Each structure stands twice: as structure tokens, then as C-alpha cells.
Amino acid sequence: MASDDIAQLADALSKTHVGDGELSFKGQGLKLDNAASVEELVRDIEQYQGLRALRLEGNTVGVDAARAIAKALENKDLLQRCYWSDMFTGRLRSEIPTALRSLGSALMSSGARLTELDLSDNAFGPDGVKGIEQLLKSPSCHTLRELKLNNCGMGIGGGKILAEALIECHRQSSAHGAPLKLRVFIAGRNRLENEGARALAKAFQIIGSLEEVHMPQNGINYAGVMALASAMRHNPELRVLNFNDNTFTKRGTLAMAQALRHLRNVQVINFGDCLVRSEGAIALAAVLREGLPILKELNLSFGEITEAAALVVAQAVMDKPHMEKVDLNGNCLGEEGCESLREAMENMDKGDMLSSLSDDEGEPDDEDEEEDDDDHENGDDDDASDDCNEDDEEDNEIVKENGIIRKEDSPEKQQCPAEIMSFLTCPSAEKLLQLGEMRTDLSRQVDPSDPHMAADVLLKIASLYSEEPETKIAVLETTDAVLKKLLFASAFQSYCFLSTLLVRMGLLKGEGKLKKVSLVPGQLLCLEHAVQQEYFSQHHASLLHTIISKNSEALKSCSSAGERLSSALEKKCNNQH
């Protein structure tokens, strides 16, 4: 070993923090190529009694050096925490798995029981995951609480290997009466994509003890997000969810919103740069209204959310006593929209919690009808319906190959009578009157879990409105029955329905190919009537009022009816608390 290398190592060792069971060589930039280069480091490890944590991050370790360090670890049975991130800079990728196997074998031989393993910022790819596969399956990891593999380039293959190793670890530890209780999982920037995400989702669902999940920037679209969302439901102690910079779109966001309805301990949600969009933001607002009691931070930045939807989110955080930060930067609010949002937050005495809006993208182009970014991937069907099922019955939940969650048909949904089918196929006032008492069957045909069909049925009935007394009564009674059923569902399902209705009416920017209807005054007048009824709650009225007041241009063709609806909504919002 050259004298200058020895001097460098001696100087580094003199700065090493030794105490509290931790031996640290962190950030010393040591180039450890062979056994000779680690003699001093190995001696320190060997002489350290009661070693519980070893920091090697910020150095570069070769195969022979790793073997020498491993030899020193074979007697360290008290070791619990391995901070080994950024440990292979400049090394060939082919070297890294061998080095990891040596270190892992030593831990297994020593009988150590790890609680934390950090191998972040080691670009080892799928082969690197193979290098820790046996360690992860072994009794040394049955006690693992934190696993950090950020920025390792695992890819789909590495994600699958990792998932199987975690499942096997849980199986073996459960057989010994002490199941793996992993709490923190970090694997951002790993190119896991949908297949890797699905594999890990399976592991997460089995483990069920996660408190923090960080998987930003992994190229996951809605199919993988839906699988992860289903898995999150099975981890009731979740506190932090970070999926920043993946592609949710509407379907993925609805799935995550469903999952969040079941999670009472979440404090931090980071869905920034995830293309949540307006309908997704409204669904999350519904979950905020009915759950997430201790939420502290919500990041929906850079999600193509419009002003009206952002205001709905702002209203939903009003009653969150622990809320500290709301990030809606980088969306499509426009200058006036940013000012409206700031004003709304300040009026609720929540101005301090709103993050900067300096990167706002401006109002969206009205003619820019974007399709889902991921509709054509993996052969998924463009017309697959959005799922707003409650998913309370686990037996009814199925995660299909394409990641889309489906549920068995609701038992209350009866076979559609021929007369009802005829009416829905070609609606007319005459057919509606001929139905007589069978009109009540129309409300049985709508299902809160199918917002598209529900909106379609309501708009068909409401389009028949006229001032002719018998027709008017029939239409209003039927729309009342339909809306009462839909709005008495959960906040999540009722908000999904209302946002779908607003998209169909051209009042809210949607995604995909959802066809807008040509509005007629009767549809707005039916809503005006409904808003005045007891079943139409203040928060539903507030949602409609917020959206309509920001998109009144869409009602130009029915200006008089639109004004009546806006007036009724404003009165409802002002008269109730």
C-alpha cells in the first residue's frame, strides 16, 4: 500500500466517529480496492465491541476490499444497521453483486439481526438485487424495519426479484412466529414501471406493516398505480405516501383515493407531478372531507389541475386541524386562478400553509382535449370504465392482469325491465309518463360505483323537462329519486358522480374520450330544483357552485336556466354552514 494512501486512511480514521454502537467512515472518499487498503478499517471493526451500526457510505469498495470487510463482520452478531449507500462509485457493475454477496454472507454467518439496510445510490441494476437476494430471505432480515434502495437502477427485473425475496422473508419469518414487519420502504428512481410495481404491490399486501412508502420517479402509469393502491389498503399504519413523478391520470388517482379512504394514519401525501388532473383532484377532495383525520401535508403540484378543482381541494382542507402544507404549484390555474386560490386559503385562515404558485402553467387551452398518456400501453382498453366501488368487501375485489380493480355487480342492481330499457335507449316524455309507477325502477338502474352510466341516465331524464304540469312532475320526481340515491352514497362516490356529470355538461375539463352532451335548459332547471331539496347537501352544492362559477361560459346556450341554477347554488351555500 502506497505511503500516501496509508496517510489518507490514517487521517480519515482519525475523523471517524466511534460511539453509541456506531462506527462511521461516512463521506471520506476512500478508494478501497484490496485487502491491504482496508487493513486499518478492518482493525477498527474487529476491535469495536458491541458494534450496532456501520457507515460505509460515500466511499468506493472493490471486491477484494469487500471480502476483507466481510471477514471482519463475521463475528459482529449485534450489528443492526448497515448504512451502505453510494459505496461503489467507479466500480464495474459486474463487481458489485460479488461484493454484496460477500458482505451479505458475513451478516448471515454472524447471526446479526438487521433493522435497517440502506443501499441507495448504488447503480447496481437487477444483478445487484441478486447480490442481496439471499440476505433478504435470511433470518438476518426477519427483523428488518427499514429498507432503502433509492436510485439503484433495479429496473423491472430487479423489482420482481426484490418482491419475491421480501415475500419469502415474510413467509419464513412467519413460520418462526415473528412475521417480517417492514415499516419503511424507499425505492425511488429505479425504473420499476408497471411490472415491477405490480410485483412489489403483491409483497406490500402480504407484509401489511408499512408506515412509509417512497417510490418516486419510477415510470409507473395507472395500471401499476392501481395495483399499488390496492396493496396500500392492507397497510393500515401508513403515514407517508410518496409516488411523486409517476403517471396516475384519472384511473390511478381514483384507485389511490379509494385506498386512502381506508387509511386513518396518513400524514403526508406526495402525488406531485403525477398527472392527477381535475377529476382526480376532486376525488381526493372527497376523501379529505370524509377521512384522513391527521393529514399534515398534501402535494398535488404539476398535475394539470384547473382553478375550479384546486378550489374544491382548498375547501376540503378547511377542517383539517393538523394540516401544515398544501402544494398546488405548477398546475393550470392562470393568474386570476392563483389569486382566487390564495384568497380562498386566506379567507379560511390557511394562507400560510399554501406553497408558492410561482410555477403555475397558466389556464389550459380549451381546445386541448388530451387523452390519457398511458391508454395504449399494455393493451389496456381505451373505454375501460372508471371504478368508484367502495371495495369494502374484500371478497369482491379482484386485481386483474391489467391492474384494473373490478368488483362483482351490486346485489341490489336488478335486471332492467323491457320498458325501462326502451326508455333509456330512446327517451321521450311520452315513454316516461307511460312508465307510471315503474319510474321508480329508473333509480334502481343507477349505481354510485358507475358514475358514467349514472350521469348519462340523469341527463337523459332531465332533458325531457317541460313546463307541461304532468311531464314536469314526472321528470322532477324521477330526477329527485336518482339524485337522492347517488348523493346519499359516500363523499367519494358522490363527488365522482358530480365531477363526471360536470365533464359531460362541458363545465369541467376531463380526460379521455368522454362525450359532452348538448345542454338544454331543462337539465339545468332540474338541477336548480334538486339543489333546493333537503337531500342535496351544502358540500355538494359548494362543489357545483365552485365549478360552475369558474366556467359559466359553458352555459351561454342556456343563459336564463344557468342563472337560475347559479342563484339557487349561491343561496344554498350561503344559507347553510
Side-chain angles (χ1 to χ4, degrees):
M1 187 176 184
S3 59
D4 57 342
D5 289 338
I6 294 173
Q8 180 190 8
L9 181 56
D11 180 60
L13 289 172
S14 70
K15 299 173 185 175
T16 298
H17 168 65
V18 180
D20 302 324
E22 180 179 288
L23 180 58
S24 176
F25 303 93
K26 179 180 179 179
Q28 295 176 2
L30 302 174
K31 192 170 186 296
L32 307 172
D33 295 324
N34 50 42
S37 66
V38 293
E39 283 179 359
E40 295 287 341
L41 186 150
V42 165
R43 188 176 301 119
D44 265 29
I45 293 174
E46 289 175 341
Q47 292 177 357
Y48 198 109
Q49 300 301 311
L51 181 65
R52 294 181 183 277
L54 178 61
R55 289 190 174 275
L56 295 175
E57 64 263 58
N59 301 291
T60 176
V61 181
V63 172
D64 291 337
R67 289 192 180 115
I69 295 170
K71 186 72 174 173
L73 291 175
E74 286 179 354
N75 297 317
K76 299 301 175 182
D77 61 331
L78 297 179
L79 187 61
Q80 296 177 336
R81 302 185 303 280
C82 297
Y83 302 106
W84 295 350
S85 63
D86 189 19
M87 205 170 73
F88 299 108
T89 300
R91 302 293 171 182
L92 295 175
R93 181 172 286 193
S94 58
E95 294 180 74
I96 300 174
T98 305
L100 288 172
R101 285 191 187 94
S102 296
L103 294 167
S105 295
L107 294 173
M108 291 185 280
S109 297
S110 72
R113 294 293 183 266
L114 299 184
T115 58
E116 185 172 354
L117 178 61
D118 186 356
L119 288 166
S120 298
D121 301 315
N122 290 310
F124 49 49
D127 289 340
V129 185
K130 292 178 183 176
I132 59 171
E133 183 180 7
Q134 293 309 311
L135 172 63
L136 289 173
K137 292 178 180 179
S138 75
S140 288
C141 285
H142 288 184
T143 50
L144 199 62
R145 296 294 179 264
E146 299 186 21
L147 179 59
K148 301 175 181 179
L149 296 166
N150 203 56
N151 190 30
C152 289
M154 289 190 287
I156 293 170
K160 290 181 175 180
I161 295 167
L162 175 61
E164 288 303 319
L166 291 173
I167 291 170
E168 181 62 17
C169 181
H170 187 272
R171 188 190 69 79
Q172 291 191 23
S173 58
S174 297
H176 286 90
L180 170 67
K181 291 185 178 179
L182 190 66
R183 293 174 186 159
V184 177
F185 180 84
I186 301 176
R189 298 184 65 190
N190 271 293
R191 303 194 306 275
L192 294 169
E193 301 182 15
N194 286 345
E195 288 186 60
R198 284 196 191 105
L200 285 166
K202 184 179 177 183
F204 296 160
Q205 183 162 324
I206 291 169
I207 292 168
S209 57
L210 290 166
E211 296 178 13
E212 295 187 25
V213 176
H214 302 261
M215 295 177 67
Q217 203 172 342
N218 268 297
I220 306 168
N221 67 30
Y222 75 90
V225 171
M226 293 176 95
L228 287 167
S230 180
M232 294 304 101
R233 279 189 51 201
H234 297 268
N235 290 266
E237 299 305 314
L238 267 172
R239 294 182 295 106
V240 179
L241 271 179
N242 176 8
F243 291 106
N244 189 286
D245 198 7
N246 290 290
T247 307
F248 282 27
T249 59
K250 179 183 173 183
R251 278 178 271 187
T253 309
L254 291 184
M256 276 295 174
Q258 286 176 332
L260 288 168
R261 296 181 65 245
H262 300 269
L263 302 171
R264 307 289 295 176
N265 296 303
V266 174
Q267 297 178 23
V268 178
I269 295 172
N270 186 344
F271 295 163
D273 206 6
C274 285
L275 281 184
V276 165
R277 294 181 173 148
S278 295
E279 289 177 275
I282 291 171
L284 289 169
V287 178
L288 283 166
R289 281 198 175 275
E290 65 181 351
L292 300 171
I294 59 173
L295 188 67
K296 293 181 178 179
E297 295 184 19
L298 176 65
N299 184 346
L300 299 179
S301 60
F302 298 93
E304 295 188 1
I305 298 168
T306 58
E307 175 192 356
L311 288 169
V312 173
V313 172
Q315 291 163 4
V317 303
M318 180 172 58
D319 296 323
K320 295 296 168 192
H322 303 281
M323 205 71 182
E324 297 172 359
K325 181 180 178 183
V326 177
D327 192 346
L328 288 162
N329 193 23
N331 283 298
C332 302
L333 311 185
E335 190 174 335
E336 289 184 8
C338 288
E339 189 55 40
S340 294
L341 181 59
R342 290 190 195 98
E343 185 179 334
M345 295 293 284
E346 286 168 6
N347 288 342
M348 295 184 290
D349 200 25
K350 305 280 188 183
D352 291 345
M353 74 172 59
L354 182 64
S355 295
S356 167
L357 299 173
S358 59
D359 296 315
D360 186 72
E361 297 285 343
E363 294 182 57
D365 184 348
D366 289 338
E367 296 182 3
D368 180 22
E369 296 297 329
E370 293 189 42
E371 297 179 14
D372 290 8
D373 291 62
D374 45 21
D375 273 347
H376 301 288
E377 293 190 26
N378 303 321
D380 290 316
D381 184 1
D382 269 350
D383 299 320
S385 63
D386 301 310
D387 180 13
C388 291
N389 283 319
E390 298 290 359
D391 284 333
D392 286 329
E393 295 297 329
E394 203 168 305
D395 291 342
N396 288 339
E397 183 184 305
I398 302 171
V399 181
K400 291 189 175 180
E401 276 299 305
N402 64 3
I404 295 177
I405 304 169
R406 289 285 180 257
K407 189 179 177 185
E408 294 298 325
D409 286 341
S410 172
E412 73 169 84
K413 191 170 181 180
Q414 301 173 0
Q415 189 169 354
C416 188
E419 294 89 344
I420 297 291
M421 183 65 75
S422 173
F423 170 78
L424 292 175
T425 303
C426 187
S428 68
E430 183 182 4
K431 286 183 180 178
L432 183 66
L433 293 172
Q434 287 174 352
L435 286 174
E437 293 183 1
M438 286 184 68
R439 286 197 294 270
T440 56
D441 287 340
L442 281 168
S443 65
R444 296 194 185 104
Q445 298 310 309
V446 297
D447 186 340
S449 69
D450 187 349
H452 294 289
M453 180 184 179
D456 187 51
V457 169
L458 181 72
L459 289 169
K460 283 179 177 179
I461 298 167
S463 69
L464 304 176
Y465 178 93
S466 80
E467 291 299 330
E468 193 279 315
E470 191 178 5
T471 301
K472 180 178 179 178
I473 291 171
V475 169
L476 293 179
E477 284 181 350
T478 311
T479 54
D480 277 343
V482 169
L483 279 169
K484 189 172 184 179
K485 179 177 181 179
L486 294 169
L487 299 182
F488 273 18
S490 67
F492 171 72
Q493 288 188 329
S494 61
Y495 272 47
C496 283
F497 159 70
L498 288 173
S499 64
T500 302
L501 180 67
L502 289 162
V503 171
R504 291 293 307 278
M505 294 171 70
L507 290 161
L508 182 68
K509 182 177 172 62
E511 66 178 33
K513 300 177 179 178
L514 194 60
K515 186 179 179 181
K516 296 176 184 176
V517 299
S518 297
L519 283 180
V520 294
Q523 292 162 330
L524 303 181
L525 294 174
C526 284
L527 282 176
E528 179 216 5
H529 164 82
V531 166
Q532 299 173 61
Q533 307 310 305
E534 195 172 330
Y535 68 78
F536 211 106
S537 70
Q538 187 270 341
H539 69 94
H540 289 134
S542 177
L543 169 60
L544 283 187
H545 182 54
T546 300
I547 304 294
I548 290 174
S549 65
K550 298 300 178 183
N551 298 278
S552 55
E553 287 292 307
L555 301 182
K556 265 186 173 180
S557 62
C558 309
S559 57
S560 176
E563 287 171 7
R564 286 176 58 177
L565 172 57
S566 296
S567 177
L569 286 167
E570 190 169 349
K571 185 176 180 181
K572 185 87 168 191
C573 293
N574 291 337
N575 286 352
Q576 296 189 35
H577 301 285

